[in-house]
Amino acid sequence: MRTRLLLALAGLSLMAFLLPAGAGPFRAAEDEMRAAYADYRAALFRTNQSDAAGSRATIDAFRAKWTVLVAAWSRQAPPQYSDDGELGSTLRDVSATAEEAAKLTEAGRLADAHEVLERIRDPLSALRARNGVRSFSDPVNAYHEQMEKVLLGAYDDFSAQGLAALRDDIAVLEYLAAELGKPGPWNRPAGVDAALPPLRASIAAVRAALSGADRDALRAAIKALKPPFARMFLQFG
């Protein structure tokens, strides 16, 4: 699993390229996607914080921008996606998922809405991958996936074998944190730089706790991985 993930990230790095100034419809389309995705990330954050009003507002904002994007792209697909036979189904899938999340939010089921919103990342990531488009969302998503693996891992109650598995997972997380700091994707915001040191420090804290015998301290260090990522995640918006 670790080897496959590292190879996949290396492959993504090879797809990175710089867009010239005034790149026309390519850049305009990615700007539209980024604007909608910022509201999507905010909706993920608000639903995860049990903020009912904020969840409704951010989901509605995402849906409004996404509706405009779908209408525009249905009339004229951006050049980078014009040959993608799955573009229409991807756009409709995201629309339907956002609608489902909105209904759950109105019903007060914010945790369920959050889980539904999580599903939006995969089809958009697949859309980019199919068409060779590199976005800062890709290393962000990869880091998030690995972080959640660590947060949810039982690690055999920190047995010797479990600790070895945790060390491997933290090594992958360190690699992915380094990927976040690399220049490359045109839409990597400069503000992310200030958010990365706390994120790296949270990984280092798990490393330090791994070398000790205090398992409660290790659990606390693992739990503390999430807040700095959440702050970086919102900064990307």
Side-chain angles (χ1 to χ4, degrees):
M1 172 63 185
R2 176 183 175 186
T3 300
R4 290 198 301 271
L5 183 55
L6 295 180
L7 288 174
L9 264 293
L12 283 172
S13 295
L14 291 175
M15 291 196 304
F17 56 91
L18 296 176
L19 293 175
F26 187 121
R27 178 63 178 265
E30 294 304 320
D31 281 344
E32 290 170 352
M33 179 70 79
R34 181 184 178 187
Y37 208 73
D39 288 322
Y40 165 69
R41 286 191 299 273
L44 277 174
F45 181 81
R46 295 302 174 191
T47 51
N48 201 39
Q49 297 295 312
S50 299
D51 178 354
S55 297
R56 285 192 295 270
T58 51
I59 291 174
D60 285 349
F62 170 66
R63 291 169 66 208
K65 288 179 182 174
W66 190 254
T67 298
V68 172
L69 182 151
V70 170
W73 290 20
S74 296
R75 290 192 303 270
Q76 176 81 45
Q80 62 269 45
Y81 304 122
S82 60
D83 294 329
D84 190 326
E86 298 179 45
L87 177 62
S89 61
T90 297
L91 298 179
R92 291 190 295 273
D93 181 35
V94 172
S95 296
T97 304
E99 177 70 18
E100 182 181 352
K103 290 179 179 178
L104 289 168
T105 299
E106 288 300 324
R109 297 169 56 187
L110 299 185
D112 292 334
H114 180 83
E115 292 302 315
V116 167
L117 286 170
E118 291 274 14
R119 301 200 317 247
I120 286 176
R121 277 200 297 260
D122 288 343
L124 294 184
S125 178
L127 173 67
R128 291 191 299 271
R130 288 196 306 269
N131 295 281
V133 176
R134 170 71 163 163
S135 168
F136 187 62
S137 293
D138 298 312
V140 169
N141 291 347
Y143 184 93
H144 185 206
E145 181 179 350
Q146 182 67 10
M147 181 193 71
E148 290 290 338
K149 180 183 178 183
V150 173
L151 288 171
L152 298 175
Y155 296 106
D156 194 28
D157 201 25
F158 299 142
S159 66
Q161 184 176 0
L163 289 173
L166 177 56
R167 289 188 183 95
D168 285 346
D169 286 346
I170 289 298
V172 174
L173 201 63
E174 287 173 327
Y175 171 83
L176 296 174
E179 289 293 300
L180 291 172
K182 289 182 179 179
W186 64 269
N187 64 337
R188 180 186 181 278
V192 165
D193 291 336
L196 290 180
L199 184 146
R200 296 189 187 108
S202 70
I203 300 173
V206 176
R207 277 280 188 208
L210 269 166
S211 65
D214 189 339
R215 296 303 178 239
D216 288 337
L218 180 55
R219 291 186 182 91
I222 291 172
K223 186 177 180 180
L225 288 169
K226 194 164 188 175
F229 172 77
R231 289 190 289 272
M232 188 279 295
F233 190 78
L234 283 181
Q235 180 61 52
F236 178 32

